[in-house]
Amino acid sequence: MVRRLERAGLRSISALVDITNYVMIERGQPMHAFDNARLKGAIGVRLMKAGERVKLLNEQVVEFRAGLLAITDDSGPVALGGVMGGFDTMVGASTTEVFFEAAYFAPPAVQGRTRELGLTSDAAYRFERGVDPQGARAAIERASALTLEVCGGQAGPLCHALGEMPAHAAVALRPARARLLLGYPVADAEVRDILARLCCAPEGSDPIKATAPSWRFDLEIEEDFIEEIARIHGYEHVPAIAPRSSVSMTRISEGERTRFDLRHQLAALGYQEVINYSFVSAGSERDFAGNERPVRLANPIASHLSVMRTTLLGGLMQTLRSNLNRGEPRVRLFEIGRCFESDEPSTAAQPDRIAGLAYGTRWPEQWAETGAPVDFYDLKGDVEALAGNRELEFLPASHPAFHPGRSAEIRLAGKAIGFVGEVHPRLQQQFELATPAVAFELLTDPLLAGGLPRFSGLSRMPAVRRDYAFTVDEATPVGALLAAVRGAVPAFVREVEVFDQYRGKGVDAGKKSLALRIVMQDTDRTLTDSEVEEVVTSIREQLTQKFQAKPRT
């Protein structure tokens, strides 16, 4: 018996304990041996009560917990039902009278208890997965016979307490359904023979009524029995037939993009995709999102992964730090993933976001470049490229993760969709970065809706260019200036852009000099001088009235 237990992976403890373990391996029925002299009164099973405690075989003391099953005598709990026996009533070298206990515990009553208590148990491992509800009596008889054979002595009476035990109902098995699911013919007589060999008591012909034996608690529905037929008949009889199906192609508008398109675009810009945990620390949420009430996990996998993220920036910064620690001086990263923006998990908003981060030099090391560090405008350009043919607005704004004076809110069609800017100096110091990292984060869905490119005929007429230089207050945003000008010019004005800015000699303090490039072209005719001057005059008046611009000569 000792050799067999060792080959099964169990160590020998004592004759009586070895017998209970042997029966458990042999019949799948966990058992426990009590020293009958240490028991006080009759054995019973109930839920633990408040204030009760029990010392287990591993000398761990378990206090009252709601839902724990206790095996009791008149003095209180002496073991945990379905988990482990008690220390005070265990058998030992002085035991002269043993009380064997075998029971059936429903899997939900035992599942999760060992993890909750921080212990392991061969009995709980089996009860969690199910044991034979009718197997306890046979296990007691077998243990008694082995005890008489190994230890000698005399068998006592058998106490039997019977409650409501689970029973299998007859299941209707249709032979035609079995042949359909298996994909090959099996004769009705062979189906009945297999069920009979499995002790399923087949009755009738079509359908066949099959009742699973008590030890086959995994057979509950028709498909379970069909799976058993395939197993017994032989998987080698299953033919290798390629599946046939008709799949219609989903209609997708040509103007829409997919997340793969966004990934492909960023990869083309030199970024590498990363996939981080959706779980972060509460400190990360405060630092990167200013969020004091994140969605908290009931059972986190680690103490520093206790809440759900509302931003992707924290994960990108951790990945950046990991790359820098491994000697990568230039890093470009992006991630697409869900964020969780509510403190109520049942109603949590889960927007899909895309975020990118750049650190190090603008270009890889080469002889033709000086190694200038990446800055706000590099990421701004990448975001504009990611938006495709959709026009974005960049407005000054504050965000907990970004530098107060070097960040901007990104708007699309008048709605805020994200931020771009340098990482906040506080975070730069926290992550020990030699130079600032630059990052962006956007909602994904607004970027997926795009428009089809439209053809416009090439003009044979010459283009007319006029440049206009002026001074405005230093705080005047160029984006607002361009938006105002572009909204008030006729259709033949093809381009209005700022191509130069200047601060210094000849420009008053607190002012900046900007130069506009105005390109005009009509597809059907040559523009007249009066039309060109009218446009330039209109732009000059717009700038003067709205931004107090002054012409610079």
Side-chain angles (χ1 to χ4, degrees):
M1 182 182 293
V2 170
R3 287 197 303 271
R4 289 184 178 182
L5 287 174
E6 289 175 347
R7 290 168 183 167
L10 299 178
R11 62 185 178 89
S12 174
I13 298 174
S14 65
L16 293 174
V17 175
D18 288 353
I19 287 170
T20 60
N21 286 335
Y22 189 86
V23 173
M24 179 182 68
I25 296 296
E26 184 181 61
R27 295 180 171 269
Q29 171 66 56
M31 292 184 59
H32 182 63
F34 290 96
D35 188 329
N36 196 50
R38 298 184 181 184
L39 293 174
K40 298 177 178 62
I43 287 291
V45 181
R46 59 170 172 79
L47 294 174
M48 283 188 75
K49 298 179 181 179
E52 290 184 331
R53 56 191 295 178
V54 60
K55 186 176 182 180
L56 302 181
L57 291 173
N58 62 356
E59 302 188 29
Q60 175 181 343
V61 177
V62 175
E63 305 283 350
F64 163 77
R65 290 172 183 257
L68 276 184
L69 283 174
I71 297 176
T72 64
D73 62 5
D74 292 345
S75 65
V78 294
L80 285 185
V83 178
M84 188 175 289
F87 182 84
D88 296 331
T89 56
M90 68 178 181
V91 294
S94 60
T95 299
T96 58
E97 191 174 350
V98 62
F99 182 89
F100 286 122
E101 175 261 340
Y104 169 78
F105 296 101
V110 183
Q111 285 168 350
R113 297 305 181 194
T114 53
R115 185 172 62 177
E116 180 183 342
L117 299 173
L119 52 84
T120 58
S121 164
D122 290 317
Y125 180 87
R126 287 162 174 80
F127 281 124
E128 284 179 338
R129 289 155 178 79
V131 300
D132 183 1
Q134 306 298 329
R137 184 186 184 95
I140 290 286
E141 298 286 7
R142 174 63 169 158
S144 299
L146 288 173
T147 303
L148 294 176
E149 179 182 344
V150 175
C151 304
Q154 183 178 353
L158 180 68
C159 304
H160 191 199
L162 182 63
E164 268 193 52
M165 304 297 284
H168 288 290
V171 175
L173 193 155
R174 297 162 291 178
R177 175 67 174 170
R179 287 188 283 270
L180 177 65
L181 292 184
L182 294 177
Y184 64 94
V186 180
D188 292 8
E190 191 165 5
V191 170
R192 291 176 57 84
D193 179 62
I194 291 174
L195 294 176
R197 288 156 59 192
L198 292 172
C199 301
C200 292
E203 297 179 358
S205 56
D206 192 8
I208 299 172
K209 297 289 187 178
T211 304
S214 62
W215 63 86
R216 290 304 304 271
F217 39 82
D218 57 323
L219 299 180
E220 296 181 350
I221 60 177
E222 183 181 22
E223 286 73 12
D224 294 334
F225 288 91
I226 295 174
E227 183 181 5
E228 287 300 292
I229 292 170
R231 183 175 67 85
I232 300 301
H233 187 257
Y235 291 132
E236 67 275 8
H237 294 105
V238 178
I241 301 175
R244 291 178 296 175
S245 63
S246 177
V247 181
S248 59
M249 183 176 292
T250 305
R251 296 183 64 181
I252 301 176
S253 170
E254 290 183 277
E256 294 181 5
R257 297 193 294 173
T258 65
R259 285 167 178 77
F260 175 80
D261 295 327
L262 300 182
R263 290 184 171 94
H264 186 79
Q265 180 72 44
L266 285 173
L269 292 170
Y271 291 80
Q272 292 184 331
E273 184 176 12
V274 298
I275 300 175
N276 292 304
Y277 278 121
S278 297
F279 317 132
V280 297
S281 66
S284 175
E285 272 299 291
R286 286 192 298 270
D287 291 341
F288 289 96
N291 185 12
E292 297 292 343
R293 299 183 62 189
V295 178
R296 294 193 172 275
L297 298 173
N299 187 23
I301 59 176
S303 59
H304 65 284
L305 300 174
S306 59
V307 303
M308 303 298 290
R309 67 187 180 189
T310 61
T311 175
L312 305 176
L313 297 175
L316 292 180
M317 286 291 286
Q318 293 290 351
T319 308
L320 169 63
R321 182 70 266 169
S322 177
N323 277 267
L324 294 178
N325 289 341
R326 286 157 179 79
E328 290 291 336
R330 183 176 182 272
V331 179
R332 299 288 189 279
L333 305 170
F334 81 92
E335 181 176 10
I336 299 179
R338 292 282 177 190
C339 294
F340 305 84
E341 292 190 340
S342 172
D343 59 348
E344 295 292 338
S346 59
T347 59
Q350 299 181 16
D352 201 38
R353 298 184 184 274
I354 180 170
L357 180 144
Y359 179 85
T361 57
R362 179 174 295 132
W363 303 105
E365 185 176 2
Q366 56 177 295
W367 63 269
E369 293 292 335
T370 59
V374 67
D375 60 17
F376 169 87
Y377 295 101
D378 293 311
L379 268 287
K380 178 175 178 287
D382 290 343
V383 170
E384 290 176 327
L386 187 63
N389 60 353
R390 310 198 70 189
E391 188 172 339
L392 302 176
E393 290 183 83
F394 296 84
L395 303 176
S398 60
H399 187 281
F402 291 108
H403 192 295
R406 299 178 184 177
S407 61
E409 182 184 67
I410 304 171
R411 290 179 174 268
L412 177 61
K415 295 183 179 180
I417 64 168
F419 283 84
V420 61
E422 284 188 9
V423 169
H424 198 287
R426 165 179 47 84
L427 297 174
Q428 179 184 344
Q429 183 179 11
Q430 177 181 328
F431 283 84
E432 301 178 349
L433 304 181
T435 58
V438 192
F440 67 84
E441 184 170 29
L442 309 168
L443 291 172
T444 303
D445 290 343
L447 298 176
L448 300 180
L452 288 174
R454 295 180 178 274
F455 172 77
S456 60
L458 299 177
S459 176
R460 296 183 179 182
M461 304 302 161
V464 180
R465 168 173 172 165
R466 291 290 186 269
D467 295 342
Y468 174 56
F470 56 93
T471 60
V472 291
D473 290 339
E474 181 68 53
T476 302
V478 174
L481 185 148
L482 290 175
V485 171
R486 291 168 179 166
V489 295
F492 61 78
V493 177
R494 298 298 181 90
E495 183 179 331
V496 179
E497 296 290 348
V498 173
F499 70 90
D500 188 31
Q501 64 174 339
Y502 172 75
R503 299 173 182 85
K505 186 177 180 180
V507 177
D508 295 339
K511 301 286 186 178
K512 60 183 175 182
S513 172
L514 300 176
L516 284 183
R517 177 178 66 249
I518 308 165
V519 179
M520 294 164 277
Q521 187 179 41
D522 196 288
T523 57
D524 298 325
R525 61 187 179 84
T526 302
L527 298 174
T528 63
D529 290 342
S530 61
E531 289 176 320
V532 171
E533 289 305 321
E534 184 179 348
V535 169
V536 175
T537 301
S538 173
I539 291 174
R540 186 183 300 117
E541 290 174 354
Q542 285 281 337
L543 295 175
T544 302
Q545 293 173 5
K546 293 185 177 181
F547 303 98
Q548 291 74 49
K550 296 181 180 180
R552 183 165 179 263
T553 57

mmCIF file of all heavy atoms in Angstrom, residues 50-68:
data_model
loop_
_atom_site.group_PDB
_atom_site.id
_atom_site.type_symbol
_atom_site.label_atom_id
_atom_site.label_comp_id
_atom_site.label_asym_id
_atom_site.label_seq_id
_atom_site.Cartn_x
_atom_site.Cartn_y
_atom_site.Cartn_z
ATOM 1 N N ALA A 50 -20.895 32.167 14.045
ATOM 2 C CA ALA A 50 -20.029 33.275 14.456
ATOM 3 C C ALA A 50 -19.347 32.945 15.775
ATOM 4 O O ALA A 50 -19.969 32.431 16.715
ATOM 5 C CB ALA A 50 -20.843 34.558 14.584
ATOM 6 N N GLY A 51 -18.043 33.225 15.842
ATOM 7 C CA GLY A 51 -17.267 32.977 17.051
ATOM 8 C C GLY A 51 -16.614 31.619 17.106
ATOM 9 O O GLY A 51 -15.756 31.373 17.969
ATOM 10 N N GLU A 52 -17.000 30.695 16.195
ATOM 11 C CA GLU A 52 -16.408 29.360 16.206
ATOM 12 C C GLU A 52 -15.075 29.359 15.464
ATOM 13 O O GLU A 52 -14.827 30.181 14.590
ATOM 14 C CB GLU A 52 -17.364 28.353 15.563
ATOM 15 C CG GLU A 52 -18.600 28.078 16.391
ATOM 16 C CD GLU A 52 -19.486 27.015 15.781
ATOM 17 O OE1 GLU A 52 -19.482 26.878 14.540
ATOM 18 O OE2 GLU A 52 -20.187 26.315 16.538
ATOM 19 N N ARG A 53 -14.230 28.387 15.801
ATOM 20 C CA ARG A 53 -12.940 28.222 15.153
ATOM 21 C C ARG A 53 -12.577 26.751 15.183
ATOM 22 O O ARG A 53 -13.099 25.976 15.978
ATOM 23 C CB ARG A 53 -11.872 29.057 15.858
ATOM 24 C CG ARG A 53 -11.757 28.755 17.334
ATOM 25 C CD ARG A 53 -10.903 29.771 18.064
ATOM 26 N NE ARG A 53 -9.527 29.719 17.612
ATOM 27 C CZ ARG A 53 -8.575 30.540 18.063
ATOM 28 N NH1 ARG A 53 -8.880 31.467 18.949
ATOM 29 N NH2 ARG A 53 -7.349 30.440 17.638
ATOM 30 N N VAL A 54 -11.674 26.365 14.304
ATOM 31 C CA VAL A 54 -11.235 24.981 14.252
ATOM 32 C C VAL A 54 -9.769 24.945 13.836
ATOM 33 O O VAL A 54 -9.337 25.717 12.978
ATOM 34 C CB VAL A 54 -12.101 24.149 13.277
ATOM 35 C CG1 VAL A 54 -12.023 24.700 11.865
ATOM 36 C CG2 VAL A 54 -11.685 22.675 13.294
ATOM 37 N N LYS A 55 -8.994 24.055 14.465
ATOM 38 C CA LYS A 55 -7.582 23.855 14.136
ATOM 39 C C LYS A 55 -7.481 22.655 13.203
ATOM 40 O O LYS A 55 -7.917 21.547 13.536
ATOM 41 C CB LYS A 55 -6.770 23.615 15.411
ATOM 42 C CG LYS A 55 -5.271 23.544 15.178
ATOM 43 C CD LYS A 55 -4.524 23.393 16.506
ATOM 44 C CE LYS A 55 -3.015 23.372 16.293
ATOM 45 N NZ LYS A 55 -2.287 23.220 17.572
ATOM 46 N N LEU A 56 -6.923 22.880 12.002
ATOM 47 C CA LEU A 56 -6.873 21.840 10.974
ATOM 48 C C LEU A 56 -5.653 20.950 11.141
ATOM 49 O O LEU A 56 -4.770 21.203 11.977
ATOM 50 C CB LEU A 56 -6.860 22.502 9.588
ATOM 51 C CG LEU A 56 -8.046 23.419 9.274
ATOM 52 C CD1 LEU A 56 -7.910 23.986 7.876
ATOM 53 C CD2 LEU A 56 -9.362 22.660 9.429
ATOM 54 N N LEU A 57 -5.602 19.898 10.310
ATOM 55 C CA LEU A 57 -4.492 18.949 10.373
ATOM 56 C C LEU A 57 -3.143 19.618 10.131
ATOM 57 O O LEU A 57 -2.118 19.168 10.658
ATOM 58 C CB LEU A 57 -4.707 17.831 9.345
ATOM 59 C CG LEU A 57 -5.867 16.863 9.628
ATOM 60 C CD1 LEU A 57 -6.049 15.930 8.450
ATOM 61 C CD2 LEU A 57 -5.613 16.084 10.908
ATOM 62 N N ASN A 58 -3.109 20.661 9.321
ATOM 63 C CA ASN A 58 -1.848 21.367 9.062
ATOM 64 C C ASN A 58 -1.545 22.412 10.124
ATOM 65 O O ASN A 58 -0.667 23.256 9.939
ATOM 66 C CB ASN A 58 -1.882 22.025 7.677
ATOM 67 C CG ASN A 58 -2.972 23.081 7.563
ATOM 68 O OD1 ASN A 58 -3.762 23.277 8.484
ATOM 69 N ND2 ASN A 58 -2.998 23.767 6.436
ATOM 70 N N GLU A 59 -2.307 22.354 11.245
ATOM 71 C CA GLU A 59 -2.159 23.244 12.400
ATOM 72 C C GLU A 59 -2.538 24.698 12.083
ATOM 73 O O GLU A 59 -2.198 25.610 12.829
ATOM 74 C CB GLU A 59 -0.730 23.174 12.974
ATOM 75 C CG GLU A 59 -0.334 21.779 13.400
ATOM 76 C CD GLU A 59 0.995 21.749 14.150
ATOM 77 O OE1 GLU A 59 1.329 22.749 14.794
ATOM 78 O OE2 GLU A 59 1.683 20.721 14.063
ATOM 79 N N GLN A 60 -3.255 24.898 11.001
ATOM 80 C CA GLN A 60 -3.782 26.228 10.683
ATOM 81 C C GLN A 60 -5.115 26.405 11.396
ATOM 82 O O GLN A 60 -5.995 25.551 11.330
ATOM 83 C CB GLN A 60 -3.975 26.382 9.166
ATOM 84 C CG GLN A 60 -4.631 27.686 8.748
ATOM 85 C CD GLN A 60 -4.814 27.769 7.240
ATOM 86 O OE1 GLN A 60 -4.188 27.018 6.486
ATOM 87 N NE2 GLN A 60 -5.662 28.677 6.798
ATOM 88 N N VAL A 61 -5.262 27.528 12.080
ATOM 89 C CA VAL A 61 -6.501 27.822 12.803
ATOM 90 C C VAL A 61 -7.403 28.656 11.895
ATOM 91 O O VAL A 61 -7.007 29.721 11.416
ATOM 92 C CB VAL A 61 -6.216 28.576 14.115
ATOM 93 C CG1 VAL A 61 -7.528 28.932 14.814
ATOM 94 C CG2 VAL A 61 -5.348 27.727 15.029
ATOM 95 N N VAL A 62 -8.613 28.148 11.671
ATOM 96 C CA VAL A 62 -9.571 28.829 10.797
ATOM 97 C C VAL A 62 -10.683 29.423 11.650
ATOM 98 O O VAL A 62 -11.365 28.700 12.379
ATOM 99 C CB VAL A 62 -10.154 27.855 9.751
ATOM 100 C CG1 VAL A 62 -11.244 28.542 8.925
ATOM 101 C CG2 VAL A 62 -9.052 27.323 8.859
ATOM 102 N N GLU A 63 -10.818 30.747 11.569
ATOM 103 C CA GLU A 63 -11.893 31.433 12.271
ATOM 104 C C GLU A 63 -13.175 31.358 11.431
ATOM 105 O O GLU A 63 -13.182 30.937 10.277
ATOM 106 C CB GLU A 63 -11.508 32.898 12.509
ATOM 107 C CG GLU A 63 -10.188 33.098 13.249
ATOM 108 C CD GLU A 63 -10.314 32.835 14.739
ATOM 109 O OE1 GLU A 63 -11.462 32.683 15.216
ATOM 110 O OE2 GLU A 63 -9.270 32.760 15.428
ATOM 111 N N PHE A 64 -14.275 31.801 12.041
ATOM 112 C CA PHE A 64 -15.567 31.787 11.361
ATOM 113 C C PHE A 64 -15.512 32.582 10.061
ATOM 114 O O PHE A 64 -14.997 33.693 10.008
ATOM 115 C CB PHE A 64 -16.638 32.382 12.283
ATOM 116 C CG PHE A 64 -17.894 32.777 11.549
ATOM 117 C CD1 PHE A 64 -18.810 31.814 11.148
ATOM 118 C CD2 PHE A 64 -18.136 34.102 11.222
ATOM 119 C CE1 PHE A 64 -19.960 32.168 10.466
ATOM 120 C CE2 PHE A 64 -19.287 34.469 10.536
ATOM 121 C CZ PHE A 64 -20.201 33.503 10.163
ATOM 122 N N ARG A 65 -16.024 31.977 9.007
ATOM 123 C CA ARG A 65 -16.225 32.637 7.713
ATOM 124 C C ARG A 65 -17.592 32.222 7.194
ATOM 125 O O ARG A 65 -17.977 31.062 7.308
ATOM 126 C CB ARG A 65 -15.153 32.237 6.688
ATOM 127 C CG ARG A 65 -13.768 32.785 6.981
ATOM 128 C CD ARG A 65 -12.770 32.171 6.031
ATOM 129 N NE ARG A 65 -11.409 32.596 6.302
ATOM 130 C CZ ARG A 65 -10.739 33.496 5.604
ATOM 131 N NH1 ARG A 65 -11.329 34.081 4.583
ATOM 132 N NH2 ARG A 65 -9.505 33.811 5.918
ATOM 133 N N ALA A 66 -18.299 33.153 6.643
ATOM 134 C CA ALA A 66 -19.628 32.844 6.114
ATOM 135 C C ALA A 66 -19.534 31.803 5.014
ATOM 136 O O ALA A 66 -18.685 31.899 4.132
ATOM 137 C CB ALA A 66 -20.289 34.118 5.585
ATOM 138 N N GLY A 67 -20.384 30.791 5.079
ATOM 139 C CA GLY A 67 -20.441 29.784 4.036
ATOM 140 C C GLY A 67 -19.543 28.593 4.247
ATOM 141 O O GLY A 67 -19.595 27.658 3.443
ATOM 142 N N LEU A 68 -18.727 28.562 5.307
ATOM 143 C CA LEU A 68 -17.847 27.418 5.559
ATOM 144 C C LEU A 68 -18.639 26.281 6.199
ATOM 145 O O LEU A 68 -19.366 26.488 7.183
ATOM 146 C CB LEU A 68 -16.684 27.812 6.467
ATOM 147 C CG LEU A 68 -15.457 28.454 5.827
ATOM 148 C CD1 LEU A 68 -14.387 28.678 6.873
ATOM 149 C CD2 LEU A 68 -14.914 27.600 4.694
#
